[in-house]
Amino acid sequence: MGQVIEVDNQRGETHPLLTETGTGGLFSAGYLRDRPAGAYLEDDETPVFLLTNGKRGVEIDREDGTEQLTAGSGYRTIVVLTDRRLVILVGDSDAVSVDGDQCLTVRLVDVDGVAAETGRREGRLSVTRTSGGTLTLHAGADGLDAAAAYLTAASQAWIHVENTLDDVQRSLVAATGHCDAGEYDAALEAAQEAYHGLNEPRRAANRFDGEWTASAMVARVDQVQRRCASMLAEARLGRARRFSDDAEAHWRDDEFEAAHDAFDDAREELETVLTYDSAAVSDRDAVHEERDRVERVTAELAAAPLRRAVEADRDATDADDPADAADHWDDALEAYCTVLELDWGADERRFEGDPDQLRERLGEVVERLVSARRTAASKAKRAGDWYVGAEQYEVAIEEFEAARDQYDLALAVARERYAGATDHLTVEREAIESRVERTTALRDGEEVGPVTTPDEDADTEGVFDVEATICDGEADTTVSVDGEDAPDSEGQTDETSEVAAIDSSQNGSVERPDR
């Protein structure tokens, strides 16, 4: 006579039908011949019902006919309804093609219909497969309806879970394609869609597990969830790499705030990945190292604007030539302004540099910049005066124009940041413009009223070498003048000197040195 046994999984007890082998005696039924029934189950598979019969075995109805499988003498047919499959075991099967026990399995997701028929002492359970064909299992009548109810509920739950997981896996396939194409934003969106799609199968699996203490469905959802987490990690790591590359590009273009934002985004992605389960992240140590690198580089970025300003400040202080110094002061001014404007209006500054100290130094830099421009202009003006005295008018004009350019640069800064210096600089620039006009007239042979060079600019003794601030390949870089001072490269602006008109009666001679 057959049996139907509901396994008590909550107590953790194992029924002998799952652990024993061998034939039965005169008053006892046997088991399987080769291995116990439990050996045919997966490690994470839970038995819920056991159905047995001695001689009736199992009938398989197909389109081409019916096949009857029965157990050998002294053995039984044992059917295990698990949380994943229908496992049919025929002890020492009489099938010609089988030597020993015969095993047939049907996944619960492949069950299309279940019907139970019971008599006074015996019953039979018919299982229709989605692929076609019906299996008829013989067992005892007592408990068969409960087994049929379980099989129906389990198969329907599995079908529902797998159908919803199909949608999840389609999203995972899309995410994988986006990752392979480097489209990490789209990959993350698809992976998140897949992850959110787990909510319904998770609820169904938990409900089934709570009712039957059967965890295979939960394990199946967990398996897909691990794939989702791995894809989320891959997409976020791709985004982190892209953010880091973007940050480096912004930094090279001096877009410091955008660079910091991108590094922040990269660090956020990496920290999110580190919250995932270890199984989702193949190389957690590498992610830690990349996160640490991003933090280190971000700290370097935070110091870079101020460091550049300080370096320009130092270069200006160390420069010997006033024009070079002015250019460095100009760089320092721009750099300090950049540092001061970073994170303007933000509650918390991300870049190094105290705003009050920056403003104070900025004022000093402006003064030194204007002073250096004025000194460079004075140097060029004195050189121009000397070249006029040497009747080298083209070179003189170049020197005066260089002086005028320096005044223009100084005025541009003064008008915006040093208003007190604009009037004085404007007067000096006008004087330079007058020199350009007079020297141009001298060069062109026009009449220019005589102007006497001030006595303090004359030196009746000695010969001086003069280095021009601007000189092309055709002009002399050194001239000898008897009875006149050469322009002092470090001299200050002479407010009262005029362009000297040299006539043939003036003492002294101008000689071109041999090359």
Side-chain angles (χ1 to χ4, degrees):
M1 184 178 67
Q3 292 178 290
V4 177
I5 301 167
E6 183 174 356
V7 180
D8 189 353
N9 291 304
Q10 291 184 340
R11 292 186 179 181
E13 298 177 355
T14 303
H15 197 279
L17 284 171
L18 296 170
T19 59
E20 300 293 335
T21 58
T23 60
L26 181 62
F27 299 104
S28 64
Y31 301 98
L32 301 179
R33 193 189 82 173
D34 302 323
R35 293 190 297 166
Y40 290 90
L41 306 184
E42 301 292 340
D43 292 339
D44 58 349
E45 194 170 13
T46 303
V48 181
F49 280 92
L50 303 175
L51 283 63
T52 69
N53 72 73
K55 298 297 183 180
R56 303 295 298 275
V58 57
E59 298 169 8
I60 306 174
D61 293 327
R62 303 187 182 93
E63 291 183 358
D64 57 353
T66 300
E67 181 181 6
Q68 179 87 27
L69 301 177
T70 58
S73 177
Y75 297 99
R76 279 194 284 185
T77 296
I78 301 175
V79 179
V80 186
L81 305 186
T82 76
D83 56 354
R84 181 178 298 169
R85 298 180 299 168
L86 182 65
V87 182
I88 304 167
L89 302 167
V90 182
D92 194 21
S93 173
D94 63 354
V96 176
S97 60
V98 177
D99 180 16
D101 299 334
Q102 186 172 5
C103 177
L104 304 174
T105 62
V106 180
R107 296 188 310 160
L108 296 184
V109 72
D110 294 329
V111 173
D112 189 44
V114 178
E117 297 180 16
T118 58
R120 291 182 58 189
R121 301 179 62 184
E122 294 184 354
R124 61 181 184 178
L125 183 68
S126 298
V127 180
T128 303
R129 295 176 293 185
T130 56
S131 60
T134 300
L135 301 174
T136 301
L137 312 172
H138 296 273
D142 189 18
L144 189 61
D145 288 338
Y150 165 76
L151 189 56
T152 300
S155 64
Q156 291 176 351
W158 268 105
I159 291 170
H160 174 66
V161 166
E162 288 295 346
N163 285 341
T164 53
L165 289 180
D166 283 345
D167 294 335
V168 171
Q169 293 183 97
R170 277 191 288 270
S171 295
L172 286 176
V173 170
T176 301
H178 288 307
C179 266
D180 292 342
E183 301 166 349
Y184 298 112
D185 291 343
L188 179 61
E189 182 178 353
Q192 288 174 328
E193 181 180 350
Y195 198 87
H196 295 153
L198 291 172
N199 291 336
E200 176 54 31
R202 171 68 67 190
R203 282 192 293 268
N206 288 340
R207 185 167 55 248
F208 182 79
D209 182 32
E211 183 176 357
W212 296 102
T213 316
S215 60
M217 202 175 298
V218 172
R220 169 64 174 149
V221 177
D222 288 343
Q223 179 189 41
V224 178
Q225 181 172 316
R226 285 191 293 271
R227 288 186 57 200
C228 289
S230 295
M231 182 53 62
L232 283 170
E234 184 177 351
R236 289 193 181 279
L237 288 174
R239 279 164 55 91
R241 288 191 295 270
R242 191 195 66 204
F243 284 137
S244 185
D245 291 342
D246 290 346
E248 297 285 355
H250 287 308
W251 191 347
R252 287 192 295 270
D253 293 337
D254 292 341
E255 298 169 351
F256 298 110
E257 290 171 313
H260 206 300
D261 290 341
F263 276 134
D264 288 344
D265 290 338
R267 185 180 65 253
E268 182 178 350
E269 293 291 350
L270 293 168
E271 289 177 346
T272 300
V273 170
L274 290 173
T275 65
Y276 293 163
D277 188 84
S278 298
V281 185
S282 59
D283 193 345
R284 183 171 291 270
D285 290 341
V287 179
H288 274 290
E289 291 175 3
E290 178 61 13
R291 192 271 312 275
D292 293 343
R293 186 195 72 83
V294 168
E295 289 183 345
R296 184 173 61 255
V297 175
T298 304
E300 294 173 1
L301 169 66
L306 181 60
R307 183 183 300 114
R308 186 172 67 174
V310 171
E311 289 174 354
D313 194 322
R314 185 179 297 114
D315 290 341
T317 302
D318 295 342
D320 295 327
D321 181 75
D324 290 342
D327 289 340
H328 288 305
W329 285 123
D330 207 19
D331 293 340
L333 173 62
E334 181 181 0
Y336 278 122
C337 287
T338 296
V339 178
L340 192 58
E341 292 167 1
L342 291 172
D343 286 339
W344 187 265
D347 294 335
E348 183 176 350
R349 284 181 59 84
R350 298 176 295 177
F351 295 89
E352 292 185 7
D354 179 79
D356 292 336
Q357 294 179 358
L358 288 170
R359 292 187 188 95
E360 181 179 353
R361 185 55 183 166
L362 193 60
E364 296 170 354
V365 168
V366 169
E367 292 180 5
R368 295 193 181 193
L369 169 57
V370 171
S371 176
R373 292 288 183 204
R374 187 167 178 265
T375 300
S378 176
K379 178 181 177 181
K381 184 194 72 172
R382 291 171 65 85
D385 286 345
W386 190 87
Y387 280 120
V388 169
E391 297 184 359
Q392 295 191 31
Y393 300 123
E394 288 291 350
V395 181
I397 291 171
E398 291 179 0
E399 294 289 351
F400 291 142
E401 288 176 343
R404 183 179 61 193
D405 291 343
Q406 291 293 336
Y407 278 121
D408 286 340
L409 292 171
L411 279 166
V413 174
R415 290 189 183 104
E416 183 178 356
R417 300 180 180 276
Y418 194 9
T422 55
D423 291 344
H424 196 61
L425 291 171
T426 300
V427 170
E428 293 179 356
R429 187 196 181 284
E430 290 173 352
I432 289 296
E433 191 65 44
S434 177
R435 278 173 163 78
V436 172
E437 293 173 358
R438 284 178 172 271
T439 306
T440 301
L442 287 171
R443 181 198 63 187
D444 296 341
E446 299 177 5
E447 291 290 334
V448 177
V451 178
T452 303
T453 303
D455 292 340
E456 61 268 25
D457 284 346
D459 186 350
T460 58
E461 297 180 359
V463 178
F464 299 86
D465 290 339
V466 179
E467 180 182 354
T469 59
I470 298 179
C471 185
D472 60 24
E474 297 296 323
D476 295 327
T477 58
T478 305
V479 295
S480 298
V481 180
D482 294 333
E484 291 188 28
D485 280 341
D488 182 2
S489 63
E490 300 298 329
Q492 299 300 314
T493 303
D494 184 352
E495 305 295 340
T496 60
S497 61
E498 299 290 342
V499 178
I502 308 299
D503 59 33
S504 59
S505 63
Q506 190 174 8
N507 292 332
S509 62
V510 178
E511 299 178 357
R512 181 183 298 273
D514 294 333
R515 290 189 180 275

